[in-house]
Amino acid sequence: MIRKNSAPKAVSKLRGQKSSSGTLISSPSQTLRSVDRVLPAHPTLEGEGFLVHRPFPAPGMLHLDPFLMLDEMGPAVLPPGEAKGAPNHPHRGFETVTYLLEGEAEHHDSQGNHGVLRPGDVQWMTAGRGVIHSEMPSEKFQREGGRMHGFQLWVNLPRVDKMMKARYQEIPSKKIPEVVLAGGLARAKVIAGAVGDGVSVIETRVPIQYVDFDLQEGAEIRQPAPQNHTAFAYVYEGQGSFGADAAGQELRVERGHLVLFAHDGDLISARATGPEGLRFLLLSGQPIGEPIAQFGPFVMNTQAELEQAFWDFQSGHFL
Ligand code: MN
């Protein structure tokens, strides 16, 4: 089910409520970005049939350059033997970024790579010229069942990098910097980019920041995001308000929604408004600005390159 990209019921303009985020500016050169629109995530099935919530691509919002897709995997509680994954499939021309909150996932690929992701771990895979891989629940998780929750983000590659050699960056939870903010009421896990003096260990092909924020009720954060960069927040737990316009209006957003920021400032603001707090991913990135030719797991610049990708895959050149 795909709905129109209009503001859903869960979102309401709060009139007349002055936000502190509208009045406190970190430095004279920084301006808060307002909210362009809010996109609901649509439940859909992926791979062998596991539940994902997908804010984009959707009709009218195919890409958020440089980002091609965001899937929230679950959240789902799976009985023993019920967990499903994505068996062998190819990718070319972009990157897949997997971040697990709960559960356990295992991957194998055509080049002999193998790894297990546990809660808090990140796998940043640059498919480049091609890989064939499987992404499955681990044997232990398959046997025991449990809660599965995580994210897969697809990041496009610029033309110059589309045919680079495939590369993995596997980062265990303990290597992801965690920064305490808002006087101890907020935490940020820095997957890519930097928050304060917390700097990610991941190398990205285009400038990107990827931060997992966890705010307690009333906490507020500010995070720089260059004005020309695409920037969005995906709320996966609780509720909060984002941005603020000149009249001090805020947009209140609940879990399962993506908040796309306008290009009218260089600072993101978010505040937890409910007793259950607010957890969201903040993504921002420099747009690549090149044509996109996509068919499923192949993302190139031209139709001819897509056809070449099919030919290379069919004739075993991904192996
Ligand atoms: Mn994959």
Side-chain angles (χ1 to χ4, degrees):
M1 266 287 284
I2 303 288
R3 283 183 287 163
K4 271 185 69 184
N5 295 325
S6 53
K9 283 196 207 98
V11 178
S12 59
K13 275 266 188 194
L14 300 180
R15 288 177 191 280
Q17 271 197 17
K18 190 77 179 172
S19 159
S20 59
S21 62
T23 53
L24 292 167
I25 304 294
S26 297
S27 89
S29 65
Q30 293 191 304
T31 309
L32 290 179
R33 291 174 71 153
S34 63
V35 174
D36 176 2
R37 66 181 81 179
V38 176
L39 308 172
H42 305 284
T44 185
L45 296 178
E46 254 306 329
E48 299 172 311
F50 58 89
L51 173 71
V52 303
H53 292 90
R54 178 175 296 166
F56 74 96
M61 191 52 74
L62 293 181
H63 312 107
L64 292 173
D65 191 7
F67 306 108
L68 298 165
M69 185 189 84
L70 178 66
D71 272 357
E72 179 184 17
M73 302 180 284
V77 178
L78 299 160
E82 293 292 306
K84 295 180 168 66
N88 275 341
H89 59 278
H91 293 287
R92 172 179 278 184
F94 64 104
E95 301 181 290
T96 68
V97 182
T98 309
Y99 172 42
L100 219 53
L101 297 174
E102 294 174 281
E104 206 171 83
E106 192 164 358
H107 79 96
H108 289 273
D109 80 4
S110 51
Q111 300 174 6
N113 296 299
H114 169 236
V116 177
L117 284 180
R118 298 190 171 82
D121 296 348
V122 172
Q123 183 203 65
W124 198 293
M125 182 186 83
T126 307
R129 72 168 74 116
V131 294
I132 299 169
H133 74 164
S134 68
E135 301 162 279
M136 300 297 290
S138 70
E139 197 184 313
K140 177 173 177 283
F141 190 83
Q142 182 63 243
R143 195 174 58 241
E144 297 174 2
R147 252 180 85 87
M148 176 61 90
H149 196 191
F151 301 94
Q152 187 163 97
L153 174 74
W154 286 12
V155 184
N156 203 5
L157 286 169
R159 188 189 308 270
V160 63
D161 289 329
K162 281 194 179 292
M163 294 297 278
M164 68 183 276
K165 193 175 178 328
R167 174 179 81 164
Y168 289 85
Q169 299 178 79
E170 292 192 314
I171 303 92
S173 179
K174 63 176 188 295
K175 283 199 171 170
I176 295 175
E178 188 166 333
V179 180
V180 176
L181 303 161
L185 292 177
R187 289 174 179 277
K189 290 186 180 176
V190 190
I191 295 166
V195 175
D197 56 5
V199 181
S200 158
V201 299
I202 290 175
E203 197 262 333
T204 68
R205 304 308 291 185
V206 292
I208 283 168
Q209 66 175 337
Y210 184 168
V211 184
D212 180 10
F213 281 103
D214 185 347
L215 278 60
Q216 293 176 39
E217 184 176 14
E220 183 178 341
I221 60 94
R222 304 280 173 79
Q223 176 64 16
Q227 184 157 355
N228 64 328
H229 285 201
T230 301
F232 64 84
Y234 180 73
V235 179
Y236 68 88
E237 205 173 294
Q239 57 172 275
S241 63
F242 294 84
D245 63 22
Q249 294 176 355
E250 297 178 298
L251 264 181
R252 184 167 289 186
V253 181
E254 290 180 351
R255 85 143 257 114
H257 293 83
L258 181 150
V259 178
L260 179 63
F261 293 97
H263 292 277
D264 56 355
D266 50 12
L267 199 60
I268 302 298
S269 71
R271 188 166 62 86
T273 53
E276 68 275 47
L278 169 68
R279 296 185 72 182
F280 67 98
L281 305 180
L282 175 65
L283 272 303
S284 73
Q286 181 180 300
I288 293 169
E290 293 174 359
I292 293 172
Q294 175 168 6
F295 190 87
F298 306 126
V299 184
M300 306 304 289
N301 293 116
T302 68
Q303 196 62 31
E305 290 165 351
L306 264 192
E307 285 164 21
Q308 186 66 46
F310 273 112
W311 173 249
D312 288 349
F313 173 55
Q314 296 292 345
S315 58
H317 283 81
F318 277 27
L319 295 172

